């Protein structure tokens, strides 16, 4: 059911060419998916004790992964999550973003937007840099948009930009972060962590690109993998991690990848 005042949007619009980082993320994710068996739903995954539970983690906010159907494709139209104008973070650079969910799937736009907002508001997220803050909007201009879509629609959107997703992986096209419903519901077998952490990694990695960060690699054995690391390619001795900062505000980065 659509919330009052929700807007329906079509994905077919003009987009800038994909960047090298966007193309690399898709190619590496697809390569990893062909080498790893498909994951099974994990509704028992519990929130990290270091972060507050997201609204989507509770039964009242959204169905559990085991009950969310993953249709092969959808209509290609989206419902835009409503916004209340709240800004998270104190940085002077306010990044406006939208959250869109494809019509006909069992993910409520409000729940998806709340979970994404929780990630952006987390003290370990990008607001910790003191420069960036984030505001969910439902109309007007925006810096980026997160779209959750069926595998078939993801293939269409990403394929129109020359990215091959084969119904399996996410992609980024210009300012659009296109999340495959299969990955949103099941997570990724290449990420060594619970579902809510994988979702946080999607958000933090892609938002990191949009505020100017490139790919990074492991800074040393046993240390947290940078959020800007392509962790699905292997951790290279690091420990899986979804966050750009630790709880004390230290940046969890690594050497830049050329």
């Amino acid at each position: 059911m659509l919330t009052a005042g929700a807007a329906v949007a079509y994905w077919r619009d003009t987009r800038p060419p994909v960047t090298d980082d966007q193309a690399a993320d898709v190619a590496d994710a697809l390569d990893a998916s062909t080498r790893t068996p498909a994951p099974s739903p994990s509704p028992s995954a519990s929130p990290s004790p270091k972060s507050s539970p997201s609204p989507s983690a509770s039964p009242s906010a959204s169905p559990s992964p085991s009950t969310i159907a993953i249709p092969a494709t959808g209509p290609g139209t989206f419902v835009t999550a409503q916004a209340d104008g709240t800004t998270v973070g104190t940085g002077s650079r306010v990044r406006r973003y939208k959250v869109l969910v494809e019509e006909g799937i069992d993910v409520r736009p409000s729940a998806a937007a709340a979970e994404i907002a929780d990630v952006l508001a987390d003290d370990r997220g990008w607001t910790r840099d003191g420069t960036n803050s984030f505001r969910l909007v439902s109309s007007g201009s925006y810096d980026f948009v997160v779209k959750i879509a069926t595998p078939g629609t993801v293939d269409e959107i990403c394929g129109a930009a020359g990215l091959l997703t084969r119904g399996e992986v996410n992609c980024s096209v210009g300012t659009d972060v296109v999340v495959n419903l299969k990955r949103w519901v099941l997570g990724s077998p290449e990420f060594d962590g619970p579902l809510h952490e994988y979702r946080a990694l999607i958000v933090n990695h892609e938002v990191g690109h949009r505020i100017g960060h490139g790919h990074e690699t492991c800074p040393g054995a046993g240390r947290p993998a940078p959020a800007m690391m392509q962790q699905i390619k292997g951790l290279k001795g690091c420990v899986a991690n979804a966050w750009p900062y630790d709880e004390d505000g230290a940046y969890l980065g690594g050497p830049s990848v050329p």
Side-chain angles (χ1 to χ4, degrees), residues 97-123:
Y97 72 98
K98 293 181 180 181
V99 174
L100 278 66
V101 175
E102 189 171 10
E103 289 190 286
I105 64 176
D106 199 13
V107 174
R108 289 193 292 117
S110 58
E115 184 162 4
I116 292 167
D118 276 358
V119 172
L120 294 173
D122 196 288
D123 285 342

Side-chain angles (χ1 to χ4, degrees), residues 80-174:
T80 303
Q82 291 186 294
D84 61 8
T86 300
T87 298
V88 298
T90 58
S92 60
R93 178 62 170 94
V94 181
R95 309 277 181 169
R96 294 163 55 90
Y97 72 98
K98 293 181 180 181
V99 174
L100 278 66
V101 175
E102 189 171 10
E103 289 190 286
I105 64 176
D106 199 13
V107 174
R108 289 193 292 117
S110 58
E115 184 162 4
I116 292 167
D118 276 358
V119 172
L120 294 173
D122 196 288
D123 285 342
R124 297 165 294 169
W126 290 115
T127 59
R128 199 64 178 258
D129 65 9
T131 299
N132 292 282
S133 56
F134 301 92
R135 179 184 301 152
L136 177 68
V137 299
S138 54
S139 62
S141 63
Y142 59 85
D143 294 283
F144 63 93
V145 56
V146 180
K147 296 180 177 178
I148 301 175
T150 56
T153 297
V154 172
D155 285 352
E156 286 194 67
I157 298 173
C158 304
L163 298 174
L164 183 66
T165 48
R166 295 191 185 278
E168 290 294 330
V169 300
N170 311 312
C171 86
S172 290
V173 179

Side-chain angles (χ1 to χ4, degrees), residues 23 28 58 92 99 102 109 129 137 154 166 168 181-182 185 195 199 208 218 224-225 228:
D28 292 330
S58 68
S92 60
V99 174
E102 189 171 10
D129 65 9
V137 299
V154 172
R166 295 191 185 278
E168 290 294 330
L181 177 64
K182 186 182 293 187
V185 173
L195 178 61
R199 291 176 179 176
C218 179
M228 297 312 300

Side-chain angles (χ1 to χ4, degrees), residues 33-52:
S33 73
T34 62
R35 292 183 278 103
T36 310
S40 57
S42 53
S44 61
S46 59
S48 165
K50 294 184 179 181
S51 60
S52 59

